[in-house]
Amino acid sequence: MILFSNSASSSSSDSPWSTAPSLSLPGGLVLNGRPGCMTIRMPPFPFLSIASLFGVMLFSASDALAGEAVDAEPVSQDVRLHCQVIASFLPGVVTSIAKVILGDSKQGQTILSMAFLTWSSVVATAMSDRLMPQDMSLDMFQSKDKDMGKRQLIINQDKRWWNDTASKVHHLLKRILSIGIHSHWKLRLSVCQFAKMLLQNCNQSLENCVPLLVDVLVAHLNDDYKQVSVFSRQALDSFSVIVVARGSGSLISMFEDNIHSLATRLPRVVRTADDTVRLPTLDLLVGYLRLLGPRISSLLSSSAHLKRLSQALLQILEIDLSDIRIMEKHSAVLGSSTESALYHPVTEETFGHSHYRLQFRHFNDDHIKAAVIKSIRLLGCYGDLSLLVDHFADYFTQSSHWQKQAVLIVNELVRGCAQIGLDCSEDGFLHCSVNSKEAIEEHIMSLLSEYVSESHWHVPTTIDTRMEDFRANQSSRSLAAINVASPNGLSAQTLNSNTILVCLLLDGIAGFAEVLGQHFDALLMTALYPILEKLGDSKGVISQTALDTLTVICQCCGYSSMNDLICHNADYLIDAVSLNLRHLDMNPTTPRVLKMMLQHCDKALLPLVDDTLHEVFTVLDGHFDDTALLLVPVLQTLVEAIHYWFPSTNRATVCEWHEGSRIHEKEKVKACSISDFLKEYCHKNLDMEDGEGGVKDEDFDQTGEQNGEADDFPEDKKEPIPGHCLLTTEVLDRCIHFVSSKNARLRLLVLSVIQHGLLILAATTGCMTGRLAI
């Protein structure tokens, strides 16, 4: 056997037709057929190093022998003779090599690479398109050997042989390609070379195998190694030239048919197969879309293709609504940190970072999600955005089951229009997008108005008792409360579904900002107010997603922080808040906007919202029983912000008040005891009673002298009380009445307001005395 492999290798290095005639004559079948078939079965035992080495040597020899016939340009009688001799070995050789490929998964990539190349070389030699006769009924080999036994070993390559062999090769090809994409890049490159050789030499004789081989090259277009992806692209380009030269049209129709069949089986693969099968299938879809490029627009004009693709994407992206973590996460109601939220800088680390990860029903791998998202963005990049948006908008309105998937797909379609996450230069299309910038802006404006509409933006996401109490109190006063949907009776799955829908809407607005960049600044009048509403939502997932959205907007529109964003757009925010406060029964989420403005801005905002805060006081005075739970959190945020904006200048007073140490309390009691205080108080009251009767005549001169002496010394001018202290005093005046409320939550909020309010007054000299006098 070793002699056979060595002789084959040495003879293949020279001209095989002169130095090794025994291998190309019918007599060589009897001499070398049995050892060759026995030897080819040895490599399935790669744990023996000698067997592995011998398998590589034999594969190299077989590859060289087959390669001589493949590379021989003129199809002479000797070449036909040699190819027909190899065709006699074809069933045993390809079956044995297939066992090697499908054998032990731990064998090295060298043996597998040589096995793939030898398999393709043998098949390409025995079934080359150049060997196919015009008339299939003729016998292609007329042997001069008189030995009938030897002649019977030579196959008759008639029409039946070609059809039967092609069917069996197709079956074996499906089996050996079922191993998927290997982890070693050299083996992946060998598989691509395997597919290229068969496509170039056997595209007619193995016509039924062409779709499988094209799938192999397309699946490797997105390979991480550039050597593999570039080779796949070049192989497809060369095959496209062959198809055009043959007069069979182009590969576009084949690609379109393959996409349709792939979209048909894709949902089943994602539901039932494992990740090792899902990812190559999705990569195949991405590869076909990249190959079509701008021709996707014409493909999607077919209703059959559009419907099949859209249904496949909707079924794949089905979201898991049973995640209990969505229900568990809540925003802080008490003790919100104004200091941590005030200066929220936007950096490269925070840009585009989402804190919530969608849980899909049929997969969890991030690579699978990335492949699906990339395919959607390719559709948005090369397809007609108007057609796609309208199509998925129909799914959005048809059933609530498809709403979340439709919003997710539309968001990624819009990102695809701006080539976000895509490198279209690798596909060879310089001007890839078929959508103009004006058309994209119009679609974004339309989608934005639809996203923030009342029916989609204010879906119930939690059972908020504050909202429920407020709506119950307002139901007898306003007819508008009848149209407000109550979340009572909704299941946890429905609340989760609505929560995810709101998060996807927020993510879509972030995508709009990424696409438009600085031009999104013109849409802030429409988008900023609703986002601030969701920023103050009690659901932690929604609040965090809104914060991520605002971070993206800051980055895309050129704002350095949240404070910068809100202050530059404070005019229409304050106007909207003031307008909605007049109809608080119809806009119960308005206080959230004002609260978020105070929480995320600095003291420069205080003069701008002064009138709005007095409107809050007015509303609270008029309807304090109904609106307290909505407006007191705003006052709590206000006093916390003031306490942070205006740090204490009298550290001793603040420390004394804040720490409340017993030593200071004892010193104060000693300095001004209760008895001394009562004596002084009684003495002052007696003096005031004596002065009520008027000034006596005998004391007139003495009083005049006293007045004259007093005129010589000017009165001490008191320092004006700062505006933030006056504002704090007004807040305390409004909140002190709620200390005795029956609602425990309201009492906690009021106590928090009083605590921070007293700290503010204690930090400023003279304000605490005035507050205690009141």
Side-chain angles (χ1 to χ4, degrees), residues 476-502:
S476 60
R477 301 185 182 184
S478 174
L479 295 177
I482 300 176
N483 299 325
V484 178
S486 174
N488 286 335
L490 295 179
S491 63
Q493 187 175 8
T494 303
L495 295 177
N496 280 355
S497 176
N498 293 340
T499 301
I500 295 175
L501 176 61
V502 173

Side-chain angles (χ1 to χ4, degrees), residues 383-421:
D384 186 2
L385 184 62
S386 177
L387 174 64
L388 292 169
V389 169
D390 291 343
H391 181 72
F392 285 103
D394 292 339
Y395 283 105
F396 182 83
T397 56
Q398 284 177 6
S399 172
S400 60
H401 180 71
W402 303 119
Q403 281 186 344
K404 298 170 291 299
Q405 295 93 306
V407 173
L408 176 59
I409 292 173
V410 169
N411 294 343
E412 299 305 328
L413 288 173
V414 174
R415 286 188 172 96
C417 290
Q419 303 178 26
I420 297 176

Side-chain angles (χ1 to χ4, degrees), residues 315-347:
Q315 293 177 31
I316 291 172
L317 293 174
E318 189 173 355
I319 298 175
D320 184 12
L321 301 177
S322 61
D323 189 4
I324 193 63
R325 290 173 295 179
I326 304 176
M327 299 284 293
E328 292 175 348
K329 295 180 180 179
H330 291 276
S331 301
V333 178
L334 292 174
S336 59
S337 178
T338 305
E339 181 176 356
S340 61
L342 179 58
Y343 296 104
H344 186 70
V346 179
T347 61

